[in-house]
Amino acid sequence: MTGKLAGKVAIITGASAGIGEATAITLAAEGAKVVLAARRSDRLDALVQRISNAGGTALSIVTDITDETQVQNLVQKTNAEFGRIDILINNAGIALVGTIDGANTSDWQRMVNLNLLGLLYVTHAVLPIMKAQGVGHIVNISSVAGRTARVGVGVYNATKWGVNGFSESLRQEVCKQNIRVTIVEPGLVNTEINDHITDPVAKQRSEERRKSITPLESEDVAAAIVYAVTQPQHVNVNEILIRPTQQEW
Ligand code: NDP
């Protein structure tokens, strides 16, 4: 397939829904071979079919990225199939928002394990391959919540703040090896992310907030990601903050 990303290989975590799904479709349309990682195999297989029908190349590898062994399998299988990894989109994440007092701490563990540790595991696993290639691009999906703390969002804030700090440290560590690192920080996006909130009060508040404005669509965020990964090699777009026009916070 032709396109700005022809010949490139991209892993997208959380590719079975929302921003990850839209990003996979968009990168494949630009010619990248996309590797789709998430837990729901039926959704991944349907997406492989959709991308293939459009003339693209996609491979699904069922992966729970909180499990380091599964992450190593994802990276090894990708390398075995396509021989390289040019782009990693660290997208999988959950936002189990709610106040700190009275929280179910298993929500905190799930967020830290996925939003932070999962992202670290995948990054750690691809780095030796990108270094050996002498080129690579890691895009970490953070959030407005990685820059602006709000009541009722504390632990999600902490994970996304962590993603931002980690990303800048990583950028400094690998920039001389021609590995680029980009943070993308969306505001409200119309996805299934709210469905997973366990605190009913926080869930209702979150749904009301979403209904009060016209949110971003996943494709809007995918377009921002494509912008970052299609720049010339000497250009590293470090950070993209993208809010719905009507989002005040
Ligand atoms: P969705 O809930 O729509 O999709 C989340 C994706 O993550 C799914 O594909 C899910 O797949 C995957 N996922 C969940 N757990 C795991 C796991 N253990 N291992 C592998 N994959 C997993 O969310 P969004 O698209 O909205 O969110 C994507 C990213 O964008 C997240 O990092 C989120 O924090 C961030 N973001 C979202 C915003 C929004 O308003 N929607 C705003 C700002 C940032 P499966 O269940 O099949 O494993």
Side-chain angles (χ1 to χ4, degrees), residues 115-116 119 140-142 158-168 183:
N115 301 2
L116 263 180
L119 179 145
N140 291 335
I141 308 304
S142 177
T159 64
K160 294 301 188 181
W161 232 273
V163 168
N164 287 10
F166 169 75
S167 301
E168 174 55 15
I183 307 167

Side-chain angles (χ1 to χ4, degrees), residues 13-21 37-41 43-44 63-66 90-95 114-115 141-145 156 160 184-194 196 210 218:
T13 71
S16 63
I19 295 168
E21 182 176 13
R39 296 164 304 172
R40 284 172 290 179
S41 60
R43 305 260 305 232
L44 293 180
T63 312
D64 180 340
I65 67 156
T66 66
N90 268 322
N91 164 75
I94 37 173
L114 181 61
N115 301 2
I141 308 304
S142 177
S143 171
V144 164
Y156 184 63
K160 294 301 188 181
V184 177
E185 298 154 321
L188 274 187
V189 191
N190 184 23
T191 69
E192 61 183 50
I193 197 163
N194 268 5
H196 309 291
R210 189 170 297 255
S218 295

Side-chain angles (χ1 to χ4, degrees), residues 3-6 8-12 23-24 26-28 30-32 34 86-90 130 135-141 180-184 221-238 240:
K4 289 183 188 158
L5 296 172
K8 309 261 189 212
V9 177
I11 294 178
I12 300 118
T23 302
T26 313
L27 295 183
E30 280 295 347
V34 292
D86 298 284
I87 299 167
L88 165 63
I89 312 290
N90 268 322
M130 289 185 172
V135 70
H137 198 151
I138 297 173
V139 179
N140 291 335
I141 308 304
R180 294 182 278 181
V181 180
T182 300
I183 307 167
V184 177
V221 183
I225 293 169
V226 168
Y227 167 75
V229 300
T230 54
Q231 294 306 303
Q233 178 56 39
H234 68 285
V235 178
N236 185 3
V237 178
N238 299 147
I240 299 178

